[in-house]
Amino acid sequence: MNPFSIAIHGGAGTIVKEDMTAELEAAYLKALQQALDAGYAILEKNGTAADAVVAATISLEDNSLFNAGKGSVITKKGEHEMDAAIMEGKMMSAGAIAGVKNVRNPVLLAKEVMINSRHVFLSGDGAREFAIKQGVKIEPDEYFFSQFRYDQWKAMRDSDTYALDHTQQGVDNLMKDKKFGTVGAVASDSFGNIAAATSTGGMTNKKFGRIGDSPVIGAGTYANNKTVAVSCTGHGEPFIKAVAAYDVSCLVEYKGLSIEQAMYEVVHKKLIALEGEGGMIGVDAQNNIAMLFNSAGMYRGMKKSTGEYALGIYKDMIK
Ligand code: ASP
């Protein structure tokens, strides 16, 4: 069997050890491990990279520790609006959804769009209608609720800003806990194909209808077998302006950089210049993995069939 590998992230931001309890850290590590295992199990059985990134992303969406699916952040209007995307690198097929409510696993809906619609990107009511038609599971509003996200939102709802925008005056006082909890996965399968998926609730107190980078192909999610599969997390607006994921691919394709070098350029130079805080994970068809961020931390993990394995939250790997 040819080698295969998977990497995941659960968001980046001001994640520092001082703010973390041992219990919470253990809960995050367990959740990351479960997601890695879910994706790896698919690859081990000769499954596709696309199915592996979906399985890993579902595992993270179902865990309210992360800002995707269950536990998504709350919009200015007090609702949940979720975005997700998937792309596979062989045919460069892609599916994305934005501003969707009540869909239990937005990444599954993105996959439905990729496979069973003639479109790439569906939004709002149309995406929801498509979810119902395709039998994608719908949940009541309560399913997505978490006290932590509600408290975050309550502290901000009367302001005209959205959380995690570190440049806004006053937000830091309101938001001690600055995190981008988007989730994502990238994988390379034994057939030499790669894929990426990203799923998010967006940013706390975001305007009704605001769409971040996560579902935008080329910004938060991208895959091309010739170059790299990338999933991003961070302040979406600069990631969109930087066309961040595609820029990594371009640097590999046109400049011949390794994925680590290409990602370094984008995360530590281009995004910094645009005040874009966050990070990304990537894999190429040769099973090279990169996981870089310019924030204090990023929930992340990777596992290769060749034996390499790592889990991290802060700058240094924990396992
Ligand atoms: N990138 C996401 C967005 O801007 C947020 C995140 O990564 O947590 O919607």
Side-chain angles (χ1 to χ4, degrees):
M1 199 175 182
N2 295 321
F4 53 88
S5 54
I6 182 160
I8 56 162
H9 71 76
T14 312
I15 307 162
V16 287
K17 200 160 173 80
E18 297 82 78
D19 291 344
M20 188 76 84
T21 62
E23 248 174 14
L24 196 56
E25 186 178 291
Y28 273 112
L29 290 175
K30 188 171 163 210
L32 291 171
Q33 184 64 59
Q34 279 169 348
L36 261 188
D37 289 347
Y40 193 87
I42 304 253
L43 297 170
E44 228 175 4
K45 286 184 216 124
N46 261 325
T48 66
D51 285 343
V53 294
V54 169
T57 305
I58 287 176
S59 172
L60 295 163
E61 284 178 340
D62 287 347
N63 192 318
S64 57
L65 283 175
F66 303 101
N67 167 24
K70 189 180 170 79
S72 284
V73 297
I74 301 173
T75 66
K76 178 110 187 122
K77 271 193 166 180
E79 297 176 331
H80 299 283
E81 285 183 7
M82 299 170 287
D83 304 335
I86 180 167
M87 185 161 184
E88 61 84 27
K90 185 182 177 196
M91 306 300 289
M92 296 178 70
S93 322
I97 52 113
V100 164
K101 291 181 201 147
N102 301 99
V103 171
R104 182 186 174 106
N105 292 113
V107 73
L108 270 182
L109 182 54
K111 187 183 164 200
E112 283 297 322
V113 172
M114 175 170 84
I115 295 174
N116 292 318
S117 82
R118 291 169 173 230
H119 304 296
V120 167
F121 208 163
L122 293 184
S123 72
D125 290 346
R128 193 181 137 120
E129 207 176 284
F130 184 66
I132 293 165
K133 184 169 160 265
Q134 296 304 114
V136 173
K137 207 161 179 200
I138 302 291
E139 297 284 0
D141 291 343
E142 305 80 72
Y143 171 81
F144 299 90
F145 180 87
S146 71
Q147 191 62 44
F148 168 67
R149 303 291 180 204
Y150 181 77
D151 293 343
Q152 271 187 334
W153 171 71
K154 226 169 72 184
M156 304 203 65
R157 66 181 166 190
D158 297 328
S159 73
D160 195 32
T161 189
Y162 52 97
L164 316 174
D165 181 352
H166 302 356
T167 60
Q168 299 284 336
Q169 289 299 318
V171 173
D172 287 2
N173 296 333
L174 293 170
M175 290 291 305
K176 193 175 151 278
D177 190 19
K178 299 175 289 179
K179 283 204 238 63
F180 309 91
T182 289
V183 307
V186 295
S188 160
D189 63 29
S190 55
F191 310 102
N193 296 318
I194 58 176
T198 313
S199 179
T200 187
M203 296 176 79
T204 301
N205 214 33
K206 67 182 181 181
K207 279 202 170 45
F208 165 59
R210 178 263 188 190
I211 298 169
D213 62 312
S214 311
V216 178
I217 298 302
T221 308
Y222 191 72
N224 178 350
N225 271 7
K226 283 199 301 194
T227 55
V228 62
V230 176
S231 171
C232 302
T233 175
H235 186 176
E237 280 69 9
F239 278 70
I240 293 175
K241 290 188 268 183
V243 201
Y246 183 60
D247 203 32
V248 175
S249 172
C250 286
L251 288 166
V252 172
E253 186 168 8
Y254 304 126
K255 250 190 155 181
L257 301 191
S258 69
I259 68 166
E260 180 95 18
Q261 290 167 332
M263 210 177 263
Y264 186 90
E265 284 292 315
V266 177
V267 172
H268 291 289
K269 295 186 186 169
K270 195 160 186 172
L271 281 167
I272 297 262
L274 292 167
E275 297 184 357
E277 183 182 357
M280 55 176 79
I281 55 173
V283 68
D284 64 18
Q286 291 72 48
N287 292 289
N288 296 301
I289 286 178
M291 304 190 283
L292 298 190
F293 50 99
N294 60 31
S295 45
M298 180 166 83
Y299 297 105
R300 62 202 187 279
M302 61 88 115
K303 192 169 176 184
K304 294 188 183 185
S305 60
T306 48
E308 263 178 85
Y309 160 79
L311 283 183
I313 297 179
Y314 324 106
K315 288 272 180 240
D316 296 325
M317 285 301 186
I318 295 178
K319 292 187 181 175

